[in-house]
Amino acid sequence: MCDREYGNGNDIVNGNGIGNGNGLGNGIGKCNGNGNGLDNIIANGHGIGNGNGLGSIVGIGHGIGNGNGLGNSHGIANGHSNGNGYVNGSGKVNGATVGKMRPMDSKVLREQGHLMVDFIADYYKNLEDSPQDFPVLSKVQPGYLRDMLPDSAPEHPEPLNELLDDVSKKIIPGITHWQSPSYFAYYAASTSVAGFLGEMLNAGLSVVGFTWLTSPAATELEVIVLDWLAKLLQLPDHFLSTGNGGGVVQGTGCEAVLVVVLAARHKMLKTNGKASLSRLVVYATDQTHSSFGKACLIAGIHEENIRLLKTDSSTNYAMPPKSLEEAISSDLAKGFIPFFICATVGTTSSAAVDPLVPLGEIAKSYGIWMHVDAAYAGNSCICPEFRKHIDGIENADSFNINAHKWLFANQTCSPLWVKDRYSLIDALKTDPEYLEYKVSKREEVINFKDWQISLSRRFRSLKLWMVLRLYGAENLRNFIRDHVNLAKHFEDYVIQDPHFEVVTIRYFSLVCFRLAPVDGDEEKCNKQNRELLAAVNSTGKIFISHTALSGKFILRFAVGAPLTEEKHVNEAWKIIQNHASKIIHNGNY
């Protein structure tokens, strides 16, 4: 990106946008403009602005000017001159009154939609070609944007080109670039062209499918696509729509775990009476995602009844079945009612895998609902070699993954499957008169409003359908395999350096590592790793995150961004190693 530049006469403007006459060129991309002052620009067949001065000019691709030159643009081209025009809605263009605003005008959508696609495409291109202009971890200070934007909303329309100029100069500097090929923090929020196109189509159609009637295709496609994905994951038949179970797309894993906690609670209270709520007990580990605790609190489970079992390196931070059974037996002896177990495949801290086979047997023997949260790692189970990590899923009552984490479905898309759909419906169903309708084969109709918290729902299955169709299962498997191989490549670097150590077993594409302690001094080791994390992230060249395991400060290197290649992993290791060498050389190690 570059700053505004002015084009006068025959000057050539090199920057972002088209420089025409005394117009400004702004945006993301590269362009050249030549001319002796252009009055009109035609871009991709769409020209805006007529007369003896330009109002607001929008141009994509190649623009032809009426002056003595030709303007060529690649990216987003914006022009301002001495007109008084608006691109959007009502207002005046060169003194002529425009009709009242039409929020969804097909002509405006076509013109500005092209602009927006080019803007986003250039963003991704620049992430690869000009990484120095995009610090992976944003370097702005809290409150930075308040001083850059007006105190109140504009009274009159403003041109899209001005808005995108503000995005380039004010918004993007405040973004942490999750899609950067050098993003290795947390778990990726994976994107793809297919996912983006699905989101675009979803937004364009803007249907609300809370009942079958409100959009039959939205309901029926969701049923079909969730069955497709269940088969790719080799889930048991009882999770398919052909039985009593089925799948539903929640927004996030947090929503998924909340609805199944509510379903399990409802089922238990029907058996034991509403007064038994204070005796209900749930089980997870100290590695379970924090959303589980929040879901329990929302569901009215007493905080002291949330059992978080301790884990350690002896089980690679997975749930110990023996500890679970002991906790359940102890609670039963005290008059509590165990009703929910949350197992995890791919924990947030270290991608630990809870042993589903013994946990499922325990749950089944006590009549306890078992949910399997596989938000990150579950996606990899479409690959036969990783499917073993959900062996035992047949004894689970519910299972979820986040397709936006590692299946390139873009935010947000969290498929959830349940063994018994009626457990969800009984807990969440509402029947207001204004949602009643008659339809043939009523018993076959699904109303997804009764499978989730909110009433309104987006057509999320559309993008998942597009991802599966436009890429195909084998391409998706291979992309996941590539990420796992890149993580192994990084792990090999760590193993070969005597100053570092790998802390836990790597199952998927997350490597947990650290500068190794010297003479067993864990306190000093933690301090040095904190220093290393801060130094590495301050470069802006890569972004990694951390966790704590058994009181140890651990660095996390997670591969998952769609643009990441081996060269990015190699560069990341060089940066980490260089800063580690400085710490060692300075005597801090």
Side-chain angles (χ1 to χ4, degrees), residues 67 96-97:
T97 302

Side-chain angles (χ1 to χ4, degrees), residues 45 61 89 160 166 182 195 205 347 383 421 433 438 475 498 554:
L160 176 61
D166 276 349
S182 297
L205 297 176
T347 59
C383 302
R421 73 182 72 165
E433 180 62 32
K438 293 182 179 180
N475 275 329
I554 308 298

